[in-house]
Amino acid sequence: MSPSTLQLLLAALGVGGTLAAAILTQILQKKAERERRAAEDLRRWHAERFRAAKELLYKIKETERILWSACASLPNEEEYARLRRAGYTTLLTVRETDVPQPTDETMVFDAVHLEIVREALEQVHGLLEEAEHLTAEIAILSEGATPEAASAMFEAAWDAAGALETTRGSQDAAFHAVLAMKEPIVVFQASVREELGVASPPTPRSVTATGGRPRTPTPRTLP
């Protein structure tokens, strides 16, 4: 092989190596860019899921608080029966002239209690309208058990609001409906924590678990 041919061959190898290095660099840069964008998307969707879940949880828990407070102002069984005989199916349509005026008597569903329940239901309906949009948003943003848990929590809140609104129910039924909201709330919180990768708080260790001896309470002596 002549020196000129060898020089050409070495030059070709050098150009080929440079070209291969440039191509490899571009491939690695594109891969790094895709990974960077994927990481940014993951962070963005993580933040969006947290936002939607937090807002929904707040509105449902606020609904629970308002309904629980309003339960104390609901009619008793006799008052419910009187309202049904008057043709009312919902407390929202009851006229103030069809209930007693405020008095010093107890256990009377009067105009003040009617206004308390009405205001509570109006607030709750506004909260649940916003919660319905957030539930739909979570169904798009999240996956796994979270959308189902969000829907179950929303339905429990809606059922509780209906239990307070209807005249066909009772105080006990309304109380139980509001209490029934607690389990779906807990399930939703656990589902969101799992989806977002939020670590559960450590369980406090007992005295015996740390190697110490449990303290025996000293019995009190009656005087």
Side-chain angles (χ1 to χ4, degrees):
M1 181 181 295
S2 63
S4 60
T5 303
L6 181 59
Q7 289 179 355
L8 289 173
L9 180 60
L10 292 175
L13 290 175
V15 172
T18 302
L19 181 61
I23 294 175
L24 180 61
T25 301
Q26 289 183 354
I27 292 174
L28 292 177
Q29 287 178 343
K30 290 181 179 179
K31 180 180 179 182
E33 180 65 16
R34 287 196 300 269
E35 291 177 350
R36 184 186 66 80
R37 290 180 179 178
E40 288 181 354
D41 288 342
L42 181 61
R43 286 193 296 269
R44 184 173 71 252
W45 291 123
H46 188 283
E48 286 297 309
R49 288 168 181 167
F50 171 75
R51 176 196 56 77
K54 180 189 68 173
E55 291 182 7
L56 176 61
L57 182 61
Y58 167 76
K59 294 185 187 302
I60 295 299
K61 290 185 73 67
E62 182 69 4
T63 295
E64 179 189 29
R65 183 191 66 80
I66 293 173
L67 291 177
W68 184 257
S69 178
C71 280
S73 297
L74 290 174
N76 59 30
E77 292 184 8
E78 294 182 0
E79 291 162 343
Y80 269 124
R82 186 176 68 248
L83 292 173
R84 287 194 295 269
R85 287 194 298 270
Y88 293 112
T89 59
T90 169
L91 294 178
L92 291 176
T93 60
V94 176
R95 294 178 299 184
E96 293 184 5
T97 55
D98 290 337
V99 294
Q101 292 303 306
T103 63
D104 293 333
E105 298 181 25
T106 59
M107 298 300 292
V108 173
F109 181 72
D110 56 25
V112 172
H113 292 112
L114 176 62
E115 185 62 23
I116 291 173
V117 175
R118 276 180 172 173
E119 288 182 357
L121 289 172
E122 289 174 359
Q123 293 177 23
V124 163
H125 287 165
L127 288 168
L128 291 180
E129 183 177 354
E130 296 174 357
E132 187 173 15
H133 289 284
L134 289 167
T135 302
E137 189 174 353
I138 289 175
I140 296 173
L141 293 174
S142 299
E143 55 186 7
T146 301
E148 183 177 351
S151 179
M153 185 175 65
F154 172 77
E155 292 297 332
W158 188 257
D159 290 342
L164 266 78
E165 181 178 341
T166 181
T167 61
R168 297 186 176 93
S170 65
Q171 275 191 342
D172 286 342
F175 273 116
H176 287 303
V178 178
L179 284 173
M181 294 176 60
K182 293 188 178 298
E183 183 177 355
I185 290 175
V186 171
V187 172
F188 176 73
Q189 287 176 304
S191 178
V192 172
R193 290 175 65 87
E194 181 178 358
E195 181 181 6
L196 298 181
V198 180
S200 300
T203 303
R205 293 185 299 173
S206 63
V207 176
T208 55
T210 59
R213 180 176 297 175
R215 297 176 58 186
T216 302
T218 302
R220 292 183 300 173
T221 304
L222 295 176

